[in-house]
Amino acid sequence: MKGPLFYSKILLFGEYGIIKDSKGLSIPYNFFNGALKTDGLETDVAIRSNANLKKYVAYLKNINPELVTFDMEALETDVNAGMYFDSSIPQGYGVGSSGALVAAIYDQYAHHKITVLENLTREKLLVLKTIFSEMESFFHGKSSGLDPLNSYLSIPILINSKDNIEAAGIPSQKSDGKGAVFLLDSGMTGETAPMVQIFMENMKQEGFRRMIKNQFIKHTDACVDDFLRGDFKSLFLNTKKLSKVALNHFKPMIPQQFHELWKKGLETNDYYLKLCGSGGGGYILGFTEDIEKAKLSLKDHKLEVVYNF
């Protein structure tokens, strides 16, 4: 048995801000994917994944049945038979590894599931987000539910606020476009929970709260609007502002060896870097008006182009 594929995701804009009701924009990233399998493979990865699934099954038993119920008998039978999540999605990289697993479990075992084939009203999206938030909290302590939502539906999601999300149409890619969004591999994994903890601690200071509201959220919202409108000139101006705020106020989330690289982008305008997910490692997201120039400027690093315009 091999279940359907669920893809990774990239939160283009909204990291940390969406905790405080900024806008956000999340897109599927088909380069990585995962699927549930029961092919009796005894690899280390399969054994580890299966052991995790056993713990996860115990957690799912305690989810509010008014929210969602699962075919527990089938799930337990499959997990006991060695089912695991076969995934190419790197863990701790901010591209939604646990989200894809949650989406796969919901798709396979949830009763009365909401499917991508029906008319996805805002209400249905919110119900799904709430379910996924509960399901994914097992992995992160507290989850917004957005990663699994993106993975499950495989469509761009626009977050207007916590209680207002919708499927979004994004400008179509230009395969020959010089402008690009890219991923930069930091070469180390990041843990979501401690990074969010640092952010929450900082939020207790009035100065930091003010900066989040008047700068970080303002620039994030502007970037989302620019991107959806296809106004890339304005997008780069706002992304630069966002990149600067991150360097000044989110230093713990940026791996030490990237501080200079971050600054270099702001000084040369060859590229602008921003956090991809919670940071602390994993991928860093880059924006450039000229991908060849950015590649030259970052020649010691591996760039993965996500989107051309």
Side-chain angles (χ1 to χ4, degrees):
M1 175 194 115
K2 181 174 187 290
L5 285 179
F6 289 93
Y7 296 108
S8 52
K9 70 87 195 63
I10 291 172
L11 186 63
L12 278 186
F13 301 104
E15 73 289 348
Y16 291 105
I18 54 174
I19 300 176
K20 294 294 159 198
D21 256 3
S22 79
K23 287 189 178 184
L25 183 64
S26 186
I27 61 170
Y29 181 44
N30 298 354
F31 190 72
F32 298 120
N33 55 56
L36 290 167
K37 281 189 181 177
T38 46
D39 52 15
L41 266 187
E42 291 287 310
T43 63
D44 283 353
V45 175
I47 290 164
R48 227 180 13 251
S49 170
N50 177 258
N52 274 335
L53 278 175
K54 283 186 173 138
K55 289 182 199 146
Y56 191 41
V57 169
Y59 171 83
L60 290 178
K61 283 181 175 167
N62 297 316
I63 279 188
N64 180 356
E66 285 177 16
L67 191 60
V68 61
T69 58
F70 302 93
D71 183 346
M72 274 305 181
E73 205 177 314
L75 178 54
E76 286 189 295
T77 303
D78 290 342
V79 169
N80 290 334
M83 183 171 77
Y84 64 99
F85 191 58
D86 182 32
S87 166
S88 65
I89 307 169
Q91 289 190 341
Y93 261 67
V95 285
S97 51
S98 59
L101 167 60
V102 167
I105 294 282
Y106 177 83
D107 181 66
Q108 186 89 9
Y109 300 101
H111 293 136
H112 317 297
K113 64 182 186 189
I114 294 169
T115 73
V116 74
L117 300 170
E118 55 196 270
N119 177 17
L120 285 170
T121 60
R122 211 167 267 187
E123 286 69 34
K124 282 180 185 167
L125 283 174
L126 273 177
V127 169
L128 266 177
K129 181 175 174 285
T130 309
I131 290 169
F132 288 147
S133 166
E134 283 294 310
M135 287 178 72
E136 201 186 26
S137 291
F138 171 78
F139 301 96
H140 291 317
K142 187 168 173 20
S143 156
S144 68
L146 277 169
D147 286 5
L149 185 66
N150 213 293
S151 204
Y152 181 63
L153 299 174
S154 222
I155 51 176
I157 307 268
L158 169 64
I159 302 108
N160 292 305
S161 66
K162 270 195 199 69
D163 306 321
N164 182 350
I165 53 174
E166 56 187 299
I170 60 174
S172 51
Q173 297 205 51
K174 293 195 180 111
S175 52
D176 57 348
K178 277 169 75 170
V181 180
F182 60 87
L183 291 174
L184 189 63
D185 191 343
S186 74
M188 55 200 273
T189 58
E191 288 270 336
T192 300
M195 293 296 134
V196 174
Q197 193 59 46
I198 293 170
F199 176 77
M200 288 313 203
E201 276 303 309
N202 287 342
M203 282 301 284
K204 291 175 182 170
Q205 301 158 26
E206 200 201 326
F208 189 83
R209 280 202 304 273
R210 227 184 4 250
M211 176 279 299
I212 289 293
K213 185 171 173 240
N214 300 336
Q215 294 177 47
F216 195 70
I217 288 180
K218 191 174 123 197
H219 303 328
T220 297
D221 288 358
C223 284
V224 171
D225 293 341
D226 290 341
F227 191 89
L228 291 176
R229 274 203 312 266
D231 185 347
F232 296 115
K233 202 173 171 52
S234 179
L235 175 71
F236 283 109
L237 292 172
N238 285 312
T239 305
K240 182 175 187 174
K241 290 174 186 168
L242 200 53
S243 182
K244 203 177 271 181
V245 170
L247 185 61
N248 290 336
H249 299 282
F250 287 81
K251 274 223 168 68
M253 288 77 166
I254 303 169
Q256 187 63 44
Q257 66 272 36
F258 286 92
H259 289 187
E260 280 309 309
L261 217 55
W262 206 285
K263 212 157 93 198
K264 182 183 163 191
L266 290 166
E267 285 163 1
T268 60
N269 297 315
D270 289 351
Y271 57 85
Y272 304 126
L273 300 180
K274 67 182 290 296
L275 294 171
C276 179
S278 55
Y283 285 117
I284 290 166
L285 210 47
F287 287 73
T288 179
E289 288 184 88
D290 187 336
I291 188 62
E292 292 314 317
K293 207 186 246 183
K295 278 179 179 166
L296 207 61
S297 207
L298 296 162
K299 62 180 187 303
D300 301 332
H301 299 270
K302 209 170 100 231
L303 303 194
E304 207 71 75
V305 173
V306 172
Y307 186 92
N308 282 93
F309 42 77

